[in-house]
Amino acid sequence: MRTQYGYDKSDPLSGAVKVSGVPKIDLERVEVTAHARERLKLMRAQAAVTFDEILLTLKAPLRVRFVPDHGTWLWIGERIAIAGSHTDGSTSIVTILWTTKELWDANPRPSQEG
């Protein structure tokens, strides 16, 4: 995985780095991509991810990291990480990820099911 995608498969968030100047999210200035909506729909069906969990992750993340390869921020909660771009006070959520390999293994994307 590290050779092909640049990260350690045992840590799905390993490409994210700690940086200063973490953006604050204004919930009235958030857009959600179609891909992120589809991920949320799947994650709700697989593991009962709730809208409250999304809000908690955005407003009170356990940590926030930056992914230089994609130019995105990761707001990281207990089970989920929300990836998005932040420009001029607006946030665009591009995807939602599981935070651990175990969660990915238990809840694969349909194309990854064996």
Side-chain angles (χ1 to χ4, degrees):
M1 288 297 284
R2 182 170 296 284
T3 302
Q4 186 171 352
Y5 297 107
Y7 65 90
D8 179 358
K9 186 178 180 184
S10 66
D11 180 3
L13 306 179
S14 67
V17 296
K18 185 176 182 178
V19 295
S20 59
V22 173
K24 296 283 184 190
I25 294 180
D26 177 353
L27 291 177
E28 295 188 19
R29 298 185 67 194
V30 172
E31 297 177 0
V32 182
T33 65
H35 173 76
R37 289 178 203 277
E38 285 298 313
R39 287 289 299 141
L40 176 56
K41 182 179 175 183
L42 177 62
M43 293 168 90
R44 288 180 76 168
Q46 289 177 320
V49 171
T50 66
F51 187 67
D52 286 341
E53 190 171 2
I54 298 289
L55 287 176
L56 182 62
T57 301
L58 291 172
K59 292 305 283 182
L62 298 176
R63 61 191 188 277
V64 179
R65 298 292 187 261
F66 186 72
V67 183
D69 291 348
H70 302 287
T72 57
W73 291 93
L74 280 180
W75 289 269
I76 303 167
E78 192 171 315
R79 296 192 311 158
I80 62 170
I82 299 171
S85 60
H86 188 80
T87 308
D88 298 325
S90 295
T91 304
S92 177
I93 296 172
V94 296
T95 196
I96 305 168
L97 308 166
W98 296 114
T99 57
T100 67
K101 180 185 181 309
E102 292 77 18
L103 284 166
W104 278 106
D105 290 347
N107 304 291
R109 291 181 182 169
S111 62
Q112 295 174 335
E113 291 177 344

